[in-house]
């Protein structure tokens, strides 16, 4: 955005050459500073800014968007983000958008290199072991990123190892559609309950929704109840 503005006012650009088209305006939607003076949530302010962009943008407008849709539930954020991108692509304005919502492409909501949408990613070296750190390579590549390397960043930031390992277990369970089991240490080993009762409690707590429980879980619960 700054480079485009400098080019339009005839200023020096810090590069050997640049190909910049003429724009009539630069519209941005960046995360702003939290304040109590504005009676809106972060997501509401994002939506207000996006609504303004859609009203004002033309085919010659440069639109810059950073992490739109992060202030609400992931499903709602992804849905609004994808819809906004399709709408802006149809208006043919020039959009540069950064996001971690990779599900927009993996779920087929947006198609890469179709409908005026092209995905690029910043190259990063992700370590093969826990002993190494992720290294940004500062290289722009075509294609959708395979991961945001969130757990690697969490470990590099000094987050407790048990917390990172637990997060990894939860991610694997969500990807495989399995239940997230409680931590072993969260179960009281000195409980006065009999072993069969404790097994039943553990199973009951491990299932998120018994209304949608599998036949295997229901049969196992019935078996444990019969043993009590």
């Amino acid at each position: 955005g700054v480079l485009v503005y400098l080019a339009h006012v005839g200023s020096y650009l810090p590069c050997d050459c640049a190909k910049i088209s003429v724009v009539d305006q630069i519209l941005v939607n960046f995360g702003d500073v939290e304040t109590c003076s504005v009676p809106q949530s972060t997501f509401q302010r994002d939506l207000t800014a996006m609504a303004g962009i859609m009203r004002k943008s033309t085919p010659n407008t440069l639109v810059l968007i950073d992490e739109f849709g992060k202030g609400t539930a992931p499903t709602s954020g992804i849905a609004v983000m994808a819809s906004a991108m399709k709408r802006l692509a149809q208006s043919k304005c020039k959009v540069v958008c950064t996001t971690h919502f990779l599900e927009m492409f993996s779920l087929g909501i947006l198609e890469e290199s179709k409908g005026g949408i092209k995905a690029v990613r910043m190259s990063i070296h992700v370590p093969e072991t826990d002993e190494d750190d992720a290294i940004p390579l500062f290289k722009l590549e075509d294609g959708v990123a395979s991961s945001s390397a969130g757990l690697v960043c969490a470990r590099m930031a000094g987050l407790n190892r048990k917390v990172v390992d637990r997060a990894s277990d939860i991610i694997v369970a969500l990807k495989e559609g399995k239940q997230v089991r409680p931590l072993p240490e969260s179960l009281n080993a000195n409980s006065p309950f009999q072993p069969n009762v404790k097994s039943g409690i553990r199973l009951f707590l491990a299932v998120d929704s018994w209304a949608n429980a599998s036949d295997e879980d229901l049969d196992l619960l019935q078996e444990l109840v019969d043993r009590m």
Side-chain angles (χ1 to χ4, degrees):
V2 174
L3 293 178
V4 172
Y5 178 80
L6 291 176
H8 278 65
V9 299
S11 176
Y12 165 80
L13 298 182
C15 59
D16 295 330
C17 63
K19 185 178 180 180
I20 299 175
S21 60
V22 176
V23 301
D24 54 10
Q25 55 186 332
I26 301 175
L27 304 178
V28 300
N29 185 355
F30 287 172
D32 54 355
V33 179
E34 297 290 341
T35 175
C36 295
S37 62
V38 180
Q40 289 183 322
S41 65
T42 301
F43 185 54
Q44 185 65 42
R45 290 199 300 273
D46 271 355
L47 292 174
T48 302
M50 183 62 76
I53 288 174
M54 290 185 176
R55 288 194 303 268
K56 299 175 184 177
S57 60
T58 72
N60 293 322
T61 298
L62 174 62
V63 178
L64 306 176
I65 302 172
D66 179 48
E67 298 291 354
F68 173 72
K70 284 293 187 180
T72 185
T75 51
S76 298
I78 292 171
V80 177
M81 176 70 171
S83 298
M85 290 301 99
K86 286 187 176 181
R87 176 64 181 83
L88 292 173
Q90 291 172 356
S91 68
K92 298 187 182 302
C93 59
K94 304 169 183 63
V95 181
V96 178
C97 173
T98 59
T99 181
H100 282 84
F101 285 148
L102 307 179
E103 296 85 352
M104 292 191 299
F105 295 96
S106 62
L107 296 177
I109 303 174
L110 296 180
E111 294 185 77
E112 203 276 323
S113 297
K114 291 186 178 180
I117 296 175
K118 181 175 178 58
V120 294
R121 62 179 182 265
M122 292 300 296
S123 179
I124 180 174
H125 169 70
V126 179
E128 297 180 357
T129 66
D130 292 342
E131 303 300 325
D132 300 322
D133 293 336
I135 302 175
L137 303 179
F138 302 101
K139 181 181 179 182
L140 196 63
E141 298 178 336
D142 292 336
V144 181
S146 59
S147 170
S148 61
L151 296 184
V152 177
C153 294
R155 180 174 53 77
M156 292 173 60
L159 206 61
N160 185 279
R161 178 60 180 269
K162 289 186 177 181
V163 174
V164 177
D165 291 342
R166 178 58 172 170
S168 178
D169 293 340
I170 294 174
I171 289 176
V172 172
L174 292 175
K175 286 183 176 179
E176 296 179 354
K178 297 181 179 179
Q179 299 163 359
V180 180
R181 301 293 179 178
L183 289 169
E185 55 264 33
S186 67
L187 304 174
N188 187 2
N190 299 319
S191 172
F193 295 120
Q194 296 297 320
N196 290 336
V197 176
K198 289 194 291 184
S199 297
I201 294 175
R202 290 172 182 171
L203 175 63
F204 184 82
L205 294 176
V207 176
D208 296 330
S209 174
W210 280 100
N212 301 318
S214 64
D215 292 340
E216 181 183 354
D217 286 331
L218 292 174
D219 292 341
L220 181 56
L221 180 62
Q222 182 63 55
E223 180 182 345
L224 292 173
V225 171
D226 293 340
R227 292 179 183 178
M228 294 180 185

